[in-house]
């Protein structure tokens, strides 16, 4: 059983770093087999992760991608290179089982980030995880609260999810569906895999809004702010009112500056943390502790927070770097 530590979210996620300053890791190598820079979350995560480790002298081999098949190939490439540590964010959780087993056989430690690994290899990796079920719960709470504030006794909800082969996505939907079940008057009528892609999110949003019409959709969940904002844009283009007393209730997640601005403007009802800078900083700190033999716990979970117009000022700084 992996040890578990619950960590307070670091405000801002990038300035100052207990554990990374002044630690020499010259000669150490890390293979970063994570989300590619074509994804907004991945791009900022990778930047903060590299910046936080720059002063340590560790060499980071960038093997990032947003293609699940390519990620498996890059992970196998990393194993062949025999780094001191592989850091991975997994695009297809099941497809990564065999590569992780190869790393274990080769004696190469693996640190899983953001989403948990498949149970078949959970005992074989370390982890710095987002609290994904909680993030899903927050999204459902935002939708229920938003619809109730409009005095709606019923409502249909659409969901634009991240890549469904990821336990990140599955865990968020588990939390989301659990909370939505407490308000059965509000029903999810469509759930689509938008692959963490802003452009695809906009395309799917336009299709779903056209399919269901103004009277057929009252709320929407985009699993990241950069997926929720295209829903708002598509709604406006289709003539849907957004927010307010009778407009479409939209919630996001993985908070970004554009999402915070939208909450402040009264269009995005809410979002949640899991900003890339905070978890990148925590990962970098974990890497230093591990590579300097500080024996960190096998698993750490970053504490998340729900964000609405009522508390947006509290999280604006943390969420406004990406």
């Amino acid at each position: 059983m992996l040890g578990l530590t619950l960590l307070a979210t670091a405000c801002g996620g990038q300035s100052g770093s207990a554990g990374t300053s002044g630690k020499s890791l010259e000669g150490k190598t890390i293979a970063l087999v994570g989300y590619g820079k074509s994804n907004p979350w991945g791009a900022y995560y990778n930047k903060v992760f590299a910046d936080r480790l720059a002063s340590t002298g560790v060499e980071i081999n960038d093997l990032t991608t947003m293609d699940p098949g390519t990620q498996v190939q890059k992970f196998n490439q990393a194993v062949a290179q025999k780094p001191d540590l592989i850091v991975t964010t997994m695009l297809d959780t099941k497809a990564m089982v065999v590569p992780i087993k190869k790393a274990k056989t080769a004696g190469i430690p693996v640190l899983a980030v953001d989403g948990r690994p498949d149970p078949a290899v959970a005992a074989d990796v370390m982890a710095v995880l987002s609290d994904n079920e909680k993030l899903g719960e927050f999204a459902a709470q935002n939708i229920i609260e938003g619809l109730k504030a409009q005095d709606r006794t019923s409502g249909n909800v659409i969901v634009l999810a991240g890549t469904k082969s990821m336990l990140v996505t599955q865990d968020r939907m588990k939390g989301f569906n659990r909370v939505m079940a407490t308000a059965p008057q509000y029903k999810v009528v469509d759930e689509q895999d938008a692959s963490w892609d802003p452009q695809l999110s906009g395309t799917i949003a336009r299709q779903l809004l056209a399919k269901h019409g103004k009277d057929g959709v009252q709320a929407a969940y985009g699993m990241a702010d950069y997926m929720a904002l295209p829903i708002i844009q598509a709604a406006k283009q289709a003539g849907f009112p957004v927010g307010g007393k009778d407009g479409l209730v939209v919630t996001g997640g993985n908070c970004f500056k554009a999402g915070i601005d939208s909450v402040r403007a009264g269009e995005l009802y809410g979002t949640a943390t899991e900003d890339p800078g905070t978890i990148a900083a925590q990962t970098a700190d974990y890497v230093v502790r591990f590579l300097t033999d500080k024996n960190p716990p096998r698993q750490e979970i970053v504490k998340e927070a729900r964000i609405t117009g009522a508390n947006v000022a509290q999280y604006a700084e943390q969420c406004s770097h990406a």
Side-chain angles (χ1 to χ4, degrees):
M1 190 67 163
L2 299 184
L4 178 66
T5 296
L6 186 65
L7 298 174
T9 307
C11 183
Q14 56 207 306
S15 62
S17 175
T20 59
S21 178
K23 304 292 186 183
S24 177
L25 298 177
E26 292 286 350
K28 300 286 188 180
T29 58
I30 297 170
L32 178 60
V33 190
Y35 305 143
K37 63 182 179 181
S38 63
N39 174 270
W41 196 97
Y44 194 69
Y45 174 94
N46 297 345
K47 179 183 183 301
V48 173
F49 182 72
D51 287 350
R52 294 295 287 251
L53 291 173
S55 65
T56 68
V58 69
E59 179 183 342
I60 301 174
N61 185 13
D62 186 340
L63 297 172
T64 57
T65 180
M66 286 305 294
D67 179 73
T70 301
Q71 184 175 65
V72 170
Q73 296 173 8
K74 286 179 176 284
F75 194 100
N76 288 330
Q77 178 185 342
V79 172
Q81 293 172 349
K82 299 187 182 301
D84 294 287
L85 176 67
I86 297 175
V87 177
T88 183
T89 47
M90 293 167 283
L91 295 167
D92 186 327
T93 309
K94 287 193 177 299
M96 293 295 283
V97 168
V98 172
I100 288 172
K101 287 183 176 179
K102 288 181 180 178
K104 181 184 179 183
T105 299
I108 301 167
V110 175
L111 175 62
V113 178
D114 189 22
R116 61 190 175 91
D118 188 274
V121 290
D124 299 330
V125 305
M126 302 170 290
V128 175
L129 304 178
S130 307
D131 194 344
N132 287 297
E133 285 195 34
K134 184 63 68 176
L135 291 166
E137 291 176 4
F138 290 156
Q141 289 168 9
N142 285 346
I143 283 180
I144 293 169
E145 183 177 276
L147 290 173
K148 286 184 174 180
Q150 295 177 340
D151 294 322
R152 293 190 186 273
T153 57
S154 65
N156 292 335
V157 183
I158 61 173
V159 176
L160 271 61
T163 306
K164 289 190 176 182
S165 60
M166 301 171 65
L167 285 181
V168 166
T169 303
Q170 294 170 29
D171 288 346
R172 290 194 196 185
M173 288 309 302
K174 182 178 180 180
F176 181 81
N177 289 330
R178 181 168 56 240
V179 172
M180 289 301 300
T182 67
Q185 67 271 34
Y186 307 130
K187 301 184 182 300
V188 175
V189 295
D190 235 314
E191 178 190 331
Q192 297 291 326
D193 186 336
S195 299
W196 304 110
D197 186 318
Q199 185 173 348
L200 180 59
S201 296
T203 299
I204 294 174
R206 288 190 292 273
Q207 293 171 346
L208 294 184
L209 293 176
K211 173 184 175 181
H212 295 283
K214 289 184 181 179
D215 295 330
V217 181
Q218 285 71 47
Y221 172 29
M223 203 164 272
D225 283 1
Y226 59 79
M227 299 167 70
L229 297 181
I231 298 174
I232 292 175
Q233 183 179 13
K236 289 180 176 180
Q237 291 172 346
F240 281 60
V242 177
K245 296 182 178 179
D246 60 359
L248 188 69
V249 175
V250 183
T251 189
N254 297 20
C255 62
F256 279 70
K257 183 180 186 303
I260 293 297
D261 291 345
S262 186
V263 172
R264 283 174 160 162
E267 293 184 339
L268 187 65
Y269 184 85
T271 182
T273 53
E274 212 270 343
D275 59 290
T278 293
I279 192 168
Q282 180 57 40
T283 310
D285 181 75
Y286 189 102
V287 165
V288 170
R289 283 181 282 145
F290 175 75
L291 293 179
T292 54
D293 299 319
K294 294 295 190 298
N295 193 31
R298 294 285 295 177
Q299 178 172 296
E300 298 181 349
I301 296 180
V302 178
K303 185 178 179 181
E304 312 294 356
R306 175 177 169 230
I307 302 170
T308 67
N311 67 348
V312 65
Q314 182 180 349
Y315 296 98
E317 196 279 336
Q318 175 181 334
C319 295
S320 294
H321 296 282

